[in-house]
Amino acid sequence: MSTNVLLFYLFAAVIVVFSILTVSSRKILRAATFLLFVLIATSAFYFMLRYTFLAAAQLTLYAGGIVVLIIFSILLTSHIGQKFDKIGFKKAFFSALVALFGAIMSIVAILQFDFPPTVASSTEELPVKEVGRSLMNYGEGGFVLPFEVISILLLAAMFAAIVIAKKKKD
Amino acid sequence: MIQGIPIIHFLIVATIMFFVGVYGFLVRRNLITILMSIELMLNSVNINFVVFNKYLYPDQLQGHFFSLFVIAVAAAEADVAIAIIINVYRRFNDINVEDVSDMKY
């Protein structure tokens, strides 16, 4: 068994275990920390697939940005050490049933689907130069329009966050 | 592609992650934990996009860029959601979805 295969199963186990802990932990700060582990393992997947730029973006934006934002808002709105109430058995049972049913249905569909043959690709990493050229290209295979739309969206989200969270004068 | 790992294994991991997120979304009562479940779901979909791109069409980059844009949208979404949560906390002194039942006081 090569190191790649071993590492894949290690990260897959990390993702599964810590995502379950994220939704079941009764302390909110711990749940946020477990979410951080899940996001870092996902970034490791991207590194293994040789999309290094995407992996770096995942690390900085998700693991570095969003989780810190979530932890900040936890500190602002919750008491540390406070535990959630136990979930009622009925609600937990039916929610688990829904999730389990959906997961089994999806996995059966995946197993039965006839995927086109896997194309052998190079193990070289995707050069960042190519990423930049594609983002700025307006011809075939270029993404300049979504790139610009995203920039407007981020600006709008920034304004929205400031306006909503601002203290109103009475 | 990763030598020795079929595409199905990635997809199964992403499926499990997605439905764990669905379970958390249904069960949790705190607004921030609901937001965390949504992040889990978005993340699992990102894995699918990237894996399809790498395994089936490695000479194109659509999946790669789509996940990049999804990450940006998720950042914007978390940003606005947390602003709303802080505002709700200011008004109701609590962020349980059951206590925040009226839109206007």
Side-chain angles (χ1 to χ4, degrees), chain A residues 149-170:
Chain A
V149 171
I150 284 287
S151 70
I152 301 284
L153 174 76
L154 284 176
L155 186 70
M158 207 167 74
F159 280 136
I162 293 171
V163 169
I164 292 172
K166 195 173 62 179
K167 242 196 185 124
K168 296 195 175 55
K169 277 185 224 153
D170 291 315

Side-chain angles (χ1 to χ4, degrees), chain A:
Chain A
M1 214 188 242
S2 68
T3 7
N4 261 349
V5 178
L6 217 64
L7 275 179
F8 171 80
Y9 288 115
L10 177 72
F11 290 129
V14 167
I15 283 184
V16 170
V17 169
F18 281 107
S19 51
I20 290 172
L21 282 176
T22 304
V23 297
S24 62
S25 170
R26 285 173 63 200
K27 286 192 172 168
I28 186 165
L29 208 54
R30 280 193 198 165
T33 316
F34 295 143
L35 179 70
L36 177 68
F37 290 143
V38 174
L39 297 175
I40 289 174
T42 311
S43 150
F45 269 7
Y46 297 159
F47 272 118
M48 289 174 78
L49 291 166
R50 296 291 182 269
Y51 285 142
T52 39
F53 179 76
L54 184 63
Q58 166 93 7
L59 266 186
T60 51
L61 264 173
Y62 254 122
I66 293 178
V67 170
V68 170
L69 205 63
I70 286 176
I71 288 177
F72 259 116
S73 57
I74 288 171
L75 295 181
L76 282 175
T77 55
S78 313
H79 307 286
I80 302 300
Q82 172 206 2
K83 273 187 167 179
F84 293 135
D85 301 334
K86 268 224 168 80
I87 306 153
F89 173 76
K90 204 172 152 196
K91 188 200 262 169
F93 177 75
F94 282 110
S95 306
L97 205 68
V98 167
L100 213 65
F101 180 71
I104 287 170
M105 214 164 66
S106 305
I107 288 175
V108 168
I110 289 169
L111 290 177
Q112 284 182 345
F113 188 75
D114 202 14
F115 286 104
T118 309
V119 186
S121 53
S122 69
T123 52
E124 295 274 299
E125 66 172 278
L126 180 70
V128 179
K129 204 173 184 178
E130 200 180 321
V131 176
R133 277 189 202 286
S134 305
L135 275 179
M136 280 292 130
N137 188 2
Y138 50 81
E140 183 87 6
F143 295 89
V144 75
L145 179 66
F147 186 67
E148 293 297 328
V149 171
I150 284 287
S151 70
I152 301 284
L153 174 76
L154 284 176
L155 186 70
M158 207 167 74
F159 280 136
I162 293 171
V163 169
I164 292 172
K166 195 173 62 179
K167 242 196 185 124
K168 296 195 175 55
K169 277 185 224 153
D170 291 315

Side-chain angles (χ1 to χ4, degrees), chain B residues 25-89:
Chain B
F25 188 84
L26 292 173
V27 155
R28 292 290 201 171
R29 279 291 152 260
N30 185 302
L31 280 171
I32 292 175
T33 46
I34 288 176
L35 184 70
M36 275 154 49
S37 304
I38 292 174
E39 298 294 342
L40 272 183
M41 288 194 256
L42 279 172
N43 209 51
S44 73
V45 174
N46 267 355
I47 294 181
N48 272 11
F49 274 122
V50 171
V51 168
F52 280 132
N53 189 171
K54 189 69 179 180
Y55 272 69
L56 304 183
Y57 306 100
D59 48 339
Q60 290 169 351
L61 286 175
Q62 264 87 349
H64 173 264
F65 282 111
F66 207 96
S67 343
L68 209 57
F69 293 134
V70 170
I71 289 176
V73 171
E77 168 242 318
D79 178 14
V80 176
I82 283 173
I84 292 174
I85 289 171
I86 288 177
N87 215 10
V88 164
Y89 180 74

